[in-house]
Protein backbone atom coordinates (compact mmCIF):
# COMPACT_ATOMS: atom_id res chain seq x y z
CA UNK A 1 0.00 0.00 0.00
CA UNK A 2 1.24 3.49 -0.81
CA UNK A 3 0.92 6.02 2.00
CA UNK A 4 1.14 9.74 1.30
CA UNK A 5 2.90 11.64 4.07
CA UNK A 6 2.68 15.40 4.51
CA UNK A 7 5.80 17.34 5.58
CA UNK A 8 8.22 14.64 4.42
CA UNK A 9 10.48 17.08 2.60
CA UNK A 10 14.09 15.97 3.07
CA UNK A 11 16.32 12.92 3.29
CA UNK A 12 16.27 13.08 7.10
CA UNK A 13 12.47 13.01 6.99
CA UNK A 14 12.60 9.88 4.84
CA UNK A 15 14.92 8.26 7.36
CA UNK A 16 12.66 9.11 10.31
CA UNK A 17 9.49 7.91 8.57
CA UNK A 18 11.20 4.68 7.51
CA UNK A 19 12.36 4.04 11.08
CA UNK A 20 8.94 4.78 12.56
CA UNK A 21 7.12 2.47 10.14
CA UNK A 22 9.69 -0.28 10.70
CA UNK A 23 9.20 0.11 14.46
CA UNK A 24 5.46 -0.37 13.89
CA UNK A 25 6.17 -3.70 12.19
CA UNK A 26 5.87 -2.79 8.51
CA UNK A 27 8.21 -3.65 5.70
CA UNK A 28 9.08 -0.39 3.99
CA UNK A 29 9.52 -0.67 0.24
CA UNK A 30 10.00 2.33 -1.99
CA UNK A 31 10.21 5.60 -0.08
CA UNK A 32 10.56 9.05 -1.65
CA UNK A 33 9.63 12.55 -0.58
CA UNK A 34 5.97 12.49 0.41
CA UNK A 35 5.31 8.85 -0.45
CA UNK A 36 6.10 5.47 1.11
CA UNK A 37 5.15 1.90 0.16
CA UNK A 38 4.52 -0.46 3.08
CA UNK A 39 3.56 -4.08 3.45
CA UNK A 40 1.46 -5.73 4.59
CA UNK A 41 -1.44 -3.39 3.81
CA UNK A 42 -2.43 -1.79 7.12
CA UNK A 43 -5.90 -2.40 8.51
CA UNK A 44 -7.94 0.71 9.47
CA UNK A 45 -6.90 0.50 13.15
CA UNK A 46 -3.25 0.15 12.14
CA UNK A 47 -3.61 3.19 9.85
CA UNK A 48 -4.80 5.19 12.86
CA UNK A 49 -1.75 3.97 14.79
CA UNK A 50 0.55 4.98 11.92
CA UNK A 51 -1.14 8.38 11.71
CA UNK A 52 -0.73 9.01 15.45
CA UNK A 53 2.91 7.89 15.45
CA UNK A 54 3.76 10.14 12.49
CA UNK A 55 1.90 13.14 13.95
CA UNK A 56 4.11 13.01 17.04
CA UNK A 57 7.07 13.48 14.70
CA UNK A 58 5.47 16.36 12.77
CA UNK A 59 4.21 14.34 9.79
CA UNK A 60 0.67 13.66 8.66
CA UNK A 61 -0.97 10.97 6.57
CA UNK A 62 -2.86 12.41 3.63
CA UNK A 63 -5.96 10.64 2.49
CA UNK A 64 -7.79 13.07 0.22
CA UNK A 65 -6.83 13.08 -3.45
CA UNK A 66 -6.58 16.88 -3.66
CA UNK A 67 -4.42 17.03 -0.53
CA UNK A 68 -2.15 14.39 -2.05
CA UNK A 69 -1.86 16.42 -5.22
CA UNK A 70 -0.90 19.54 -3.26
CA UNK A 71 1.80 17.57 -1.46
CA UNK A 72 3.02 16.23 -4.81
CA UNK A 73 3.29 19.82 -6.08
CA UNK A 74 5.33 20.80 -3.01
CA UNK A 75 7.51 17.72 -3.38
CA UNK A 76 8.18 18.48 -7.04
CA UNK A 77 9.09 22.09 -6.23
CA UNK A 78 11.44 21.01 -3.43
CA UNK A 79 13.10 18.36 -5.58
CA UNK A 80 13.58 20.80 -8.46
CA UNK A 81 14.80 23.74 -6.40
CA UNK A 82 16.90 21.96 -3.79
CA UNK A 83 18.18 18.90 -5.62
CA UNK A 84 18.59 20.08 -9.23
CA UNK A 85 20.80 22.48 -11.09
CA UNK A 86 18.21 24.94 -12.36
CA UNK A 87 20.61 26.30 -14.97
CA UNK A 88 19.91 23.06 -16.89
CA UNK A 89 16.12 23.52 -16.85
CA UNK A 90 14.95 24.72 -20.27
CA UNK A 91 11.27 25.36 -19.47
CA UNK A 92 9.41 27.14 -16.69
CA UNK A 93 9.27 25.27 -13.41
CA UNK A 94 5.48 25.55 -13.42
CA UNK A 95 5.21 23.80 -16.79
CA UNK A 96 7.73 21.19 -15.70
CA UNK A 97 5.71 20.44 -12.56
CA UNK A 98 2.47 20.16 -14.54
CA UNK A 99 4.15 17.76 -16.97
CA UNK A 100 5.63 15.63 -14.18
CA UNK A 101 2.23 15.36 -12.48
CA UNK A 102 0.45 14.91 -15.81
CA UNK A 103 -2.10 17.60 -14.91
CA UNK A 104 -3.19 20.91 -16.40
CA UNK A 105 -1.17 23.76 -14.91
CA UNK A 106 -4.20 26.06 -14.52
CA UNK A 107 -5.96 23.35 -12.46
CA UNK A 108 -2.87 22.78 -10.30
CA UNK A 109 -2.39 26.50 -9.79
CA UNK A 110 -5.98 27.07 -8.69
CA UNK A 111 -5.95 24.03 -6.41
CA UNK A 112 -2.67 25.05 -4.78
CA UNK A 113 -3.69 28.69 -4.31
CA UNK A 114 -7.05 27.75 -2.78
CA UNK A 115 -5.48 25.31 -0.33
CA UNK A 116 -2.25 27.11 0.57
CA UNK A 117 -3.19 30.78 0.23
CA UNK A 118 -0.24 31.51 -2.10
CA UNK A 119 0.50 30.81 -5.72
CA UNK A 120 2.82 28.06 -6.89
CA UNK A 121 5.06 30.79 -8.30
CA UNK A 122 5.43 32.44 -4.87
CA UNK A 123 6.06 29.05 -3.29
CA UNK A 124 8.82 28.41 -5.85
CA UNK A 125 10.35 31.83 -5.08
CA UNK A 126 10.28 31.07 -1.35
CA UNK A 127 12.00 27.75 -1.95
CA UNK A 128 14.60 29.37 -4.20
CA UNK A 129 15.34 32.04 -1.59
CA UNK A 130 15.85 29.36 1.07
CA UNK A 131 18.24 27.52 -1.24
CA UNK A 132 20.10 30.79 -1.94
CA UNK A 133 20.42 31.33 1.83
CA UNK A 134 21.92 27.86 2.14
CA UNK A 135 24.38 28.50 -0.70
CA UNK A 136 25.34 31.88 0.77
CA UNK A 137 26.03 30.29 4.14
CA UNK A 138 28.26 27.64 2.57
CA UNK A 139 30.32 30.41 0.97
CA UNK A 140 31.55 28.20 -1.88
CA UNK A 141 29.91 30.19 -4.70
CA UNK A 142 29.75 33.90 -5.41
CA UNK A 143 26.43 35.61 -6.12
CA UNK A 144 26.81 35.35 -9.90
CA UNK A 145 27.46 31.60 -9.64
CA UNK A 146 24.49 31.17 -7.31
CA UNK A 147 22.25 33.13 -9.69
CA UNK A 148 23.30 30.89 -12.58
CA UNK A 149 22.87 27.69 -10.57
CA UNK A 150 19.40 28.77 -9.42
CA UNK A 151 18.25 29.66 -12.94
CA UNK A 152 18.11 33.44 -12.51
CA UNK A 153 18.79 35.64 -15.54
CA UNK A 154 21.23 37.73 -13.48
CA UNK A 155 22.52 38.30 -9.96
CA UNK A 156 20.49 41.54 -9.95
CA UNK A 157 17.27 39.56 -10.53
CA UNK A 158 18.23 37.15 -7.73
CA UNK A 159 19.01 40.09 -5.40
CA UNK A 160 15.67 41.74 -6.15
CA UNK A 161 13.69 38.58 -5.34
CA UNK A 162 15.85 37.83 -2.30
CA UNK A 163 15.29 41.32 -0.87
CA UNK A 164 11.54 41.17 -1.61
CA UNK A 165 11.25 37.95 0.43
CA UNK A 166 13.75 38.58 3.24
CA UNK A 167 13.81 42.37 3.47
CA UNK A 168 17.56 42.50 2.94
CA UNK A 169 19.98 42.05 0.06
CA UNK A 170 22.01 38.82 -0.19
CA UNK A 171 25.21 40.65 0.81
CA UNK A 172 23.68 41.78 4.11
CA UNK A 173 22.29 38.29 4.74
CA UNK A 174 25.72 36.76 4.13
CA UNK A 175 27.36 39.29 6.48
CA UNK A 176 25.08 38.20 9.33
CA UNK A 177 26.64 35.85 11.84
CA UNK A 178 23.70 33.43 12.07
CA UNK A 179 21.39 32.60 9.19
CA UNK A 180 17.64 32.95 9.35
CA UNK A 181 16.67 29.89 7.35
CA UNK A 182 13.17 28.43 7.46
CA UNK A 183 12.41 24.69 7.42
CA UNK A 184 11.19 23.74 3.94
CA UNK A 185 7.84 22.46 5.17
CA UNK A 186 7.05 25.75 6.96
CA UNK A 187 7.70 28.28 4.19
CA UNK A 188 4.13 29.20 3.34
CA UNK A 189 3.31 29.50 7.07
CA UNK A 190 5.46 32.68 7.18
CA UNK A 191 3.21 34.69 4.86
Amino acid sequence: MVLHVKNMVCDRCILIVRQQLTNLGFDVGNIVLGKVTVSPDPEPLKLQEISAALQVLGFELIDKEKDQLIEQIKTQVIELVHYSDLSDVQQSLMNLIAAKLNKDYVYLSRLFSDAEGITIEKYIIQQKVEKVKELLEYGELNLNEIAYKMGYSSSAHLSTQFKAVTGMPPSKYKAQDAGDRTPLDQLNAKL
Side-chain angles (χ1 to χ4, degrees):
M1 169 182 253
V2 176
L3 303 174
H4 295 272
V5 182
K6 187 174 185 176
N7 298 330
M8 188 166 58
V9 296
C10 65
D11 291 338
R12 189 175 309 122
C13 298
I14 289 172
L15 190 68
I16 291 168
V17 169
R18 179 185 300 277
Q19 182 179 5
Q20 190 68 5
L21 291 170
T22 302
N23 290 346
L24 291 171
F26 291 95
D27 292 326
V28 177
N30 187 31
I31 185 167
V32 295
L33 296 176
K35 203 183 301 186
V36 59
T37 305
V38 296
S39 62
D41 287 353
E43 299 293 325
L45 284 175
K46 204 64 167 168
L47 274 175
Q48 290 176 355
E49 185 180 345
I50 291 170
S51 181
L54 291 177
Q55 275 187 330
V56 168
L57 299 170
F59 302 104
E60 184 180 333
L61 281 183
I62 306 169
D63 56 0
K64 294 179 186 172
E65 187 176 327
K66 288 182 179 181
D67 291 340
Q68 291 176 6
L69 194 52
I70 290 165
E71 282 307 305
Q72 288 174 347
I73 293 167
K74 289 180 178 181
T75 299
Q76 288 298 319
V77 170
I78 290 168
E79 285 179 356
L80 287 167
V81 171
H82 294 275
Y83 304 109
S84 301
D85 187 343
L86 296 178
S87 65
D88 294 335
V89 177
Q90 299 300 317
Q91 59 180 312
S92 77
L93 294 182
M94 287 77 69
N95 289 335
L96 190 58
I97 291 164
K100 284 187 176 225
L101 297 177
N102 199 26
K103 300 282 185 191
D104 176 62
Y105 177 72
V106 173
Y107 169 73
L108 292 177
S109 180
R110 191 175 312 120
L111 178 70
F112 191 88
S113 295
D114 289 347
E116 297 297 313
I118 63 169
T119 64
I120 295 175
E121 292 85 353
K122 286 186 180 182
Y123 186 72
I124 289 170
I125 291 169
Q126 289 178 335
Q127 291 292 338
K128 287 174 88 170
V129 166
E130 287 306 310
K131 182 65 177 182
V132 169
K133 287 179 183 179
E134 179 183 329
L135 294 171
L136 287 169
E137 288 177 17
Y138 291 161
E140 296 173 356
L141 302 172
N142 66 39
L143 195 58
N144 286 330
E145 293 167 325
I146 292 171
Y148 177 76
K149 179 179 180 63
M150 296 304 298
Y152 285 98
S153 58
S154 67
S155 59
H157 183 214
L158 181 155
S159 295
T160 301
Q161 274 194 348
F162 191 93
K163 186 172 182 179
V165 172
T166 66
M168 69 181 85
S171 56
K172 184 175 180 184
Y173 178 85
K174 188 174 182 175
Q176 291 182 158
D177 191 25
D180 182 26
R181 290 176 46 204
T182 304
L184 301 182
D185 60 331
Q186 296 178 9
L187 281 179
N188 57 338
K190 286 182 74 174
L191 289 177

